[in-house]
Amino acid sequence: MTKPHPVDEKTLREELHTFGFSEKEIETYLVVLNQGEATPSTIATHADVSKRYVYNIASQLAKRGFVQVNNHASPTTVRAQPPTEAITDLSNRLQSLAPSLEQKFQKTEPQTARFQTIKSRQTALKHLREQIRSAQNEVFLSLPLSEQNEIEAELTSAVDRNVFVACLYTDAEPESIAPARFNGNASVVRVWEEKAPFISTVDDHTAIVGDAELLGGVHADETAVSLSEEHLAGSVLGSLIGSYWPIASELYVMKPSELPYRFESARNAVLQATLHLHEGTEPLTTIMTENGEEITGRILDSNQCLVKPETGDFPVENGLVVETSNGDKITVGGTGAFIEDYRAETIKLDQPSA
């Protein structure tokens, strides 16, 4: 077997960084290597660190097997272990961890951002169906009403799973559409006579954005992009709610769900609380915050712009006004909330006590 060639000083330092060495640890270790064995005072002088720091670093290097600290000597000395032995020992220790690490390892798809250009109607609908089937909390859509039947089965299944489904159907006249058409396949529907981009977002994580004409299958030049990245998907959702949702006409709103129910999605909880408030009831709530604090109380109001009448100050506002069990009045939002008093991890709604 060919022996590896020595690397230059810069590469050596970079590789030691890879092993978790700090800059000061590298300086100290290289001094010890060059000296073979030296007192903390000598090492401190050559490495340009304090004597006290040398003791701390030497202790850490000793735990890793790179040096030996001779406390029994007077004065104390630090001796470098032969590098080949130190590296072999480190390798053996890492190898011994492999079985335990493998037991704990769960193979998943990488969570890095993924982008794919979509150039055909068939591919666009395939991606859209897959995204809706994967939804756990919420689906937002903007697409021509003519395409609703292509994804109706997936939307119905999502609603059956208590996923919040908000649809903006474009290129359609509200007066010609029966609201009952959306029973069981949407939570909220708005309609706009004009054309708008083809947009879908699922769970603030995956999204599709592109030309609605792509779904017509006529213009070969029209494209869309499918992406999987939390912050970008959130931006797409913000664009849909902020730019197109407010100018469309509300056509359908589901009936309130039966309570009690525990929501993982704050947006879904806010919608249901709003619908119950519209019926004249003030649901009780148990909220688990991101910090692990439990809040109980009565919902007095909601701040939102997804259903009429809008009560939020801006399109993406999504929160609850709660009178807690101790009489305080607080506001609660979901993940990423920035004006509310608390961020909720889960929200349970219950019927008010008799």
Side-chain angles (χ1 to χ4, degrees):
M1 182 184 294
T2 305
K3 287 175 111 181
H5 296 292
V7 297
D8 58 33
E9 179 86 2
K10 179 183 177 183
T11 304
L12 175 60
R13 289 174 177 273
E14 289 174 350
E15 292 300 321
L16 288 174
H17 268 303
T18 302
F19 276 100
F21 280 64
S22 69
E23 198 63 47
K24 293 295 185 183
E25 286 175 330
I26 293 173
E27 292 292 342
T28 303
Y29 181 49
L30 292 181
V31 168
V32 176
L33 282 176
N34 287 329
Q35 297 284 328
E37 184 173 7
T39 64
S41 296
T42 301
I43 298 169
T45 299
H46 286 81
D48 194 24
V49 298
S50 69
K51 184 176 176 181
R52 179 186 227 175
Y53 201 61
V54 169
Y55 280 104
N56 291 335
I57 293 176
S59 176
Q60 293 300 317
L61 292 174
K63 288 179 182 178
R64 300 183 199 176
F66 286 92
V67 303
Q68 178 183 335
V69 180
N70 299 314
N71 291 312
H72 59 275
S74 183
T76 297
T77 62
V78 180
R79 173 191 287 272
Q81 294 286 76
T84 301
E85 292 181 15
I87 295 300
T88 300
D89 181 57
L90 179 63
S91 177
N92 290 337
R93 288 160 64 188
L94 288 172
Q95 193 64 36
S96 70
L97 295 176
S100 297
L101 294 175
E102 284 289 345
Q103 271 189 331
K104 296 179 180 295
F105 175 61
Q106 295 293 327
K107 189 171 183 179
T108 60
E109 291 297 318
Q111 297 300 306
T112 53
R114 296 189 295 274
F115 301 86
Q116 182 174 340
T117 301
I118 300 172
K119 298 183 178 180
S120 73
R121 178 176 185 273
Q122 182 179 2
T123 303
L125 290 173
K126 176 185 175 183
H127 277 261
L128 182 55
R129 293 184 185 112
E130 289 175 351
Q131 285 191 357
I132 297 171
R133 283 195 290 265
S134 72
Q136 297 179 359
N137 295 313
E138 62 183 39
V139 173
F140 277 82
L141 295 175
S142 166
L143 74 164
L145 180 62
S146 58
E147 302 303 317
Q148 188 230 6
N149 63 315
E150 296 289 346
I151 56 171
E152 186 171 356
E154 286 75 20
L155 293 177
T156 300
S157 177
V159 171
D160 288 343
R161 301 194 305 273
N162 293 305
V163 172
F164 173 50
V165 176
C167 299
L168 170 59
Y169 290 116
T170 61
D171 204 13
E173 296 182 1
E175 298 79 8
S176 63
I177 307 166
R181 170 177 181 173
F182 306 109
N183 282 334
N185 60 69
S187 306
V188 184
V189 173
R190 290 196 176 189
V191 177
W192 194 31
E193 297 91 336
E194 304 297 329
K195 297 182 185 297
F198 165 38
I199 297 173
S200 78
T201 70
V202 171
D203 295 340
D204 272 348
H205 181 68
T206 59
I208 301 174
V209 59
D211 298 294
E213 295 294 338
L214 174 69
L215 297 174
V218 177
H219 302 288
D221 293 337
E222 309 298 346
T223 61
V225 174
S226 174
L227 60 92
S228 176
E229 204 280 330
E230 182 175 357
H231 299 295
L232 292 177
S235 297
V236 173
L237 176 58
S239 175
L240 171 57
I241 296 177
S243 300
Y244 300 101
W245 193 263
I247 58 179
S249 302
E250 184 174 279
L251 188 63
Y252 172 83
V253 179
M254 70 182 299
K255 293 185 181 300
S257 298
E258 291 186 9
L259 302 180
Y261 196 85
R262 180 174 174 272
F263 298 90
E264 302 287 338
S265 162
R267 196 146 22 224
N268 203 349
V270 170
L271 170 70
Q272 291 301 325
T274 301
L275 299 183
H276 282 279
L277 289 167
H278 286 176
E279 293 200 340
T281 62
E282 295 180 337
L284 301 179
T285 185
T286 301
I287 297 164
M288 186 62 67
T289 72
E290 283 187 350
N291 297 326
E293 181 179 354
E294 185 177 274
I295 298 172
T296 60
R298 180 170 58 101
I299 297 175
L300 303 178
D301 204 354
S302 64
N303 299 318
Q304 57 79 41
C305 293
L306 291 176
V307 297
K308 294 184 177 296
E310 291 93 344
T311 52
D313 293 327
F314 52 92
V316 295
E317 187 172 2
N318 183 64
L320 297 172
V321 180
V322 178
E323 182 182 60
T324 67
S325 52
N326 60 13
D328 295 332
K329 185 190 256 189
I330 63 166
T331 56
V332 179
T335 302
F338 56 93
I339 64 171
E340 287 80 12
D341 300 318
Y342 295 89
R343 293 179 180 176
E345 190 75 31
T346 61
I347 300 175
K348 180 185 177 185
L349 301 183
D350 208 338
Q351 293 287 355
S353 54

